[in-house]
Amino acid sequence: MMAWFGISFSTLQRFKREFGLEKDMQSIRKQQAKDIKKICERNGYYASIRGKAPSEACMEATRQLRASGFHPMKQLKANNPRKYKRLMRKKSEQRKELWRKEQLRAFYGLERKTNLRIPQDQPPHPLLSALAQRVRP
């Protein structure tokens, strides 16, 4: 701006103080949020979150990224190993919990909710058999 108006830095600062021109972080963040929302809407991001298919431009960009060798999990592992490890641990716990629940459903003869192949000839857990014996008269 200084070169554009042909003034020095101190003159620019004086004008700024005289006119009360201050950078307000709240307004800057608000403007950034508006800009991000506009870009996301243009790219079809919000529509895909709401259950609609992503735009064709978004799908093509994803295909090109994947074709060039990009994979989000590899990128996360390279950029932030701790976060990657935490995510992998969470996924593992969820998988183990799902497996455990499905095993219990199979053991008690309840309706299956997944297509996991759970062996049927496994002996029941010792605590479960002890509990079943207590319940019987």
Side-chain angles (χ1 to χ4, degrees), residues 96-137:
K96 287 175 187 173
E97 184 64 19
L98 180 67
W99 181 264
R100 187 187 70 78
K101 286 179 179 178
E102 194 63 22
Q103 275 185 319
L104 287 173
R105 284 190 202 101
F107 179 75
Y108 287 110
L110 299 174
E111 178 188 354
R112 304 278 304 267
K113 294 193 176 181
T114 66
N115 289 330
L116 292 173
R117 284 181 255 136
I118 296 179
Q120 299 296 323
D121 57 347
Q122 274 189 343
H125 192 277
L127 293 176
L128 290 177
S129 59
L131 181 64
Q133 288 174 355
R134 267 193 193 167
V135 173
R136 289 186 206 144

Side-chain angles (χ1 to χ4, degrees), residues 8 34 49-50 63 104 136:
S8 67
K34 285 179 186 176
I49 289 177
R50 293 186 185 111
R63 276 188 224 108
L104 287 173
R136 289 186 206 144

Side-chain angles (χ1 to χ4, degrees), residues 5-132:
F5 288 117
I7 57 176
S8 67
F9 180 74
S10 59
T11 308
L12 183 68
Q13 292 295 322
R14 186 172 44 111
F15 284 149
K16 181 188 82 164
R17 280 192 293 278
E18 284 176 10
F19 296 121
L21 300 173
E22 288 289 321
K23 281 189 176 179
D24 181 22
M25 285 310 292
Q26 187 176 5
S27 63
I28 290 172
R29 286 194 185 103
K30 196 182 291 185
Q31 185 60 44
Q32 285 176 339
K34 285 179 186 176
D35 293 344
I36 290 169
K37 185 174 181 181
K38 193 186 314 178
I39 290 168
C40 287
E41 285 173 346
R42 190 173 57 223
N43 292 339
Y45 178 74
Y46 289 120
S48 66
I49 289 177
R50 293 186 185 111
K52 299 175 186 167
S55 68
E56 189 55 41
C58 182
M59 295 295 284
E60 183 57 33
T62 305
R63 276 188 224 108
Q64 288 176 358
L65 265 175
R66 293 289 177 132
S68 67
F70 174 81
H71 192 277
M73 294 305 285
K74 287 180 184 175
Q75 191 72 29
L76 178 64
K77 187 176 184 179
N79 290 347
N80 196 339
R82 272 193 234 145
K83 192 172 184 179
Y84 174 79
K85 197 177 268 189
R86 190 169 54 236
L87 181 69
M88 288 292 109
R89 192 177 309 121
K90 183 180 176 184
K91 278 184 163 186
S92 172
E93 288 168 2
Q94 287 174 339
R95 191 172 47 252
K96 287 175 187 173
E97 184 64 19
L98 180 67
W99 181 264
R100 187 187 70 78
K101 286 179 179 178
E102 194 63 22
Q103 275 185 319
L104 287 173
R105 284 190 202 101
F107 179 75
Y108 287 110
L110 299 174
E111 178 188 354
R112 304 278 304 267
K113 294 193 176 181
T114 66
N115 289 330
L116 292 173
R117 284 181 255 136
I118 296 179
Q120 299 296 323
D121 57 347
Q122 274 189 343
H125 192 277
L127 293 176
L128 290 177
S129 59
L131 181 64

